[in-house]
Amino acid sequence: MKRIDCHVHLNAYNKFQSSNLQERLKNLKDVMAENKIDYSIILSSYLINSQRPSTHTLIKLIENCDNFKIVAGFSANNNSDKDLRKYQQWLQDGKIVGLKLYCGYEHYFPQDKKYKKIYETAQEFDVPVFVHCGDTFSDKAKLKYAHPLNVDEVAVDNRAVKIIICHLGNPWILDCQEILYKTKNVYADISGLFYGIPSKEYMKLLVLKVKELFNYVSNPHRILFGTDWPISDIRSCLNLVSKLGLSKTDMELLMFKNANKIFKLE
């Protein structure tokens, strides 16, 4: 069965990761091979610095690779209209396949007027918008901006736009599953539900919560496999999926068919 990881990064998050971007790409390729991941969607950050490469840098980095695509992070604080026009050209050229908002890390709700042009761009080019939801990797983030209930408001007002709730909105998975059930242009990925390798106890808890989400939604066509590598261990993410008791049909939707459709990979 094919495996598409819809949510990875090439950022250096700690001192144990290489400061060299080429080496980080090689590490990603190696861990993909070890875990039989066929394709990965790389998300750029809301920041650009020596640890967080720009969208343009990532586009150049993978231009000779055939198993990666880029989603461009958008910063309400740092990106200009000129940057957005550049994103639109990259969308036109097929160099990026989506956009991402870092709500919580940046102190804006997803329905803020600052993002209006992002949703208009996503609709024009028929690409999804990832919205960070749930726990954050920074204590400077403000969680009220990252609650998945905010996504329902913007999704209802932008019915033609596909919006992906990142991380199932964890720990607000119950809220995420209601939005998935109710609002048909909302999707969710199962990435980043733990840091590194989770404890056995936490894995048991996650399995129960994610099983409940699948049962409640009763429609797996809008749930995507993702890991949030290098923050989360890929093998552990696959272990979580293996414990969900999904049918072959539902497993195929989760692991690659849904991603193929929303990112137009085939």
Side-chain angles (χ1 to χ4, degrees), residues 97-265:
V97 294
L99 303 165
K100 182 176 181 185
L101 308 181
Y102 285 85
C103 300
Y105 292 99
E106 295 195 315
H107 302 161
Y108 305 101
F109 293 107
Q111 63 268 33
D112 193 285
K113 63 182 181 181
K114 291 178 180 289
Y115 297 132
K116 183 173 184 292
K117 292 180 180 178
I118 290 295
Y119 300 123
E120 291 172 347
T121 296
Q123 181 174 344
E124 178 183 353
F125 292 96
D126 190 25
V127 296
V129 177
F130 286 78
V131 178
H132 174 84
C133 290
D135 188 29
T136 62
F137 201 61
S138 168
D139 60 5
K140 295 180 181 179
K142 294 187 176 181
L143 292 175
K144 70 177 182 179
Y145 299 107
H147 199 291
L149 285 176
N150 299 318
V151 170
D152 183 60
E153 183 169 338
V154 74
V156 168
D157 291 344
N158 296 272
R159 290 287 189 177
V161 180
K162 301 178 185 71
I163 300 176
I164 301 173
I165 295 176
C166 298
H167 321 306
L168 298 181
N170 189 39
W172 299 298
I173 295 177
L174 277 173
D175 299 281
C176 176
Q177 70 189 42
E178 169 58 20
I179 299 163
L180 282 170
Y181 176 78
K182 167 191 164 288
T183 313
K184 305 309 180 186
N185 56 317
V186 174
Y187 297 67
D189 74 35
I190 66 169
S191 72
L193 300 179
F194 43 81
Y195 179 67
I197 299 174
S199 67
K200 290 181 180 179
E201 292 75 15
Y202 185 57
M203 178 65 84
K204 288 179 182 178
L205 177 64
L206 278 178
V207 169
L208 290 174
K209 288 186 173 184
V210 179
K211 273 187 175 181
E212 181 181 358
L213 179 141
F214 269 91
N215 289 331
Y216 185 86
V217 173
S218 69
N219 185 341
H221 291 79
R222 288 178 283 116
I223 306 173
L224 307 166
F225 174 72
T227 63
D228 211 18
W229 185 91
I231 291 175
S232 298
D233 174 68
I234 290 182
R235 189 178 300 277
S236 298
C237 295
L238 292 169
N239 186 30
L240 169 64
V241 169
S242 73
K243 295 176 183 295
L244 297 178
L246 299 178
S247 68
K248 180 181 178 182
T249 298
D250 288 355
M251 184 69 80
E252 288 177 346
L253 288 167
L254 172 67
M255 296 306 297
F256 71 94
K257 287 188 175 180
N258 293 342
N260 267 339
K261 185 175 181 179
I262 195 169
F263 298 112
K264 305 181 183 70
L265 300 179

Side-chain angles (χ1 to χ4, degrees), residues 22-36:
Q22 289 283 356
E23 288 186 17
R24 298 203 298 271
L25 178 62
K26 181 182 182 302
N27 291 340
L28 174 57
K29 289 179 177 179
D30 289 345
V31 77
M32 286 172 63
E34 289 168 10
N35 292 283
K36 298 181 172 62

